[in-house]
Amino acid sequence: MQFDHIAYRVPDVARAVAWIGDLLPAMRVLYQDESWALVEASGVKIALVQPDQHPDHLAFRVDAQRLAELAAEHERGIETHRDASRGIYLEGPGNLTIELIHYPEPS
């Protein structure tokens, strides 16, 4: 298991990207559209999403087998995201949410 990203819900993705860029000039935009963005700053990936997409969370990368095992253990369906990654969200105490995510092998 390896840390992958942190995600925040924001009302205005472009404004949030601009704010982080002003604060951290070395920030790189890895992807951005109107509904979400992925930026990297100081080696940390930050996903900025609209409030209705998914909860704020920490994401950890796992392999496909471990994702399937954890989904079964926690009785969760595996979701496929727009970028073809697959994952599950697990809710913990105090509104803490962890995403376990697997990225397909590049073809």
Side-chain angles (χ1 to χ4, degrees), residues 9-91:
R9 293 178 292 175
V10 296
D12 185 327
V13 172
R15 188 170 176 202
V17 169
W19 182 80
I20 293 172
D22 288 344
L23 185 64
L24 306 170
M27 183 232 13
R28 293 184 312 131
V29 176
L30 303 175
Y31 179 85
Q32 183 175 356
D33 67 23
E34 293 177 3
S35 66
W36 78 288
L38 184 64
V39 301
E40 184 175 36
S42 300
V44 175
K45 290 190 291 184
I46 305 166
L48 302 164
V49 301
Q50 293 179 335
D52 61 342
Q53 290 182 334
H54 49 69
D56 294 339
H57 64 271
L58 298 173
F60 293 88
R61 187 181 294 217
V62 296
D63 64 30
Q65 179 179 342
R66 187 68 179 136
L67 179 62
E69 292 167 356
L70 289 164
E73 178 182 330
H74 293 279
E75 300 178 345
R76 301 292 172 140
I78 297 173
E79 299 177 30
T80 301
H81 301 295
R82 292 177 278 206
D83 63 358
S85 64
R86 302 179 73 221
I88 59 172
Y89 295 95
L90 301 174
E91 295 82 22

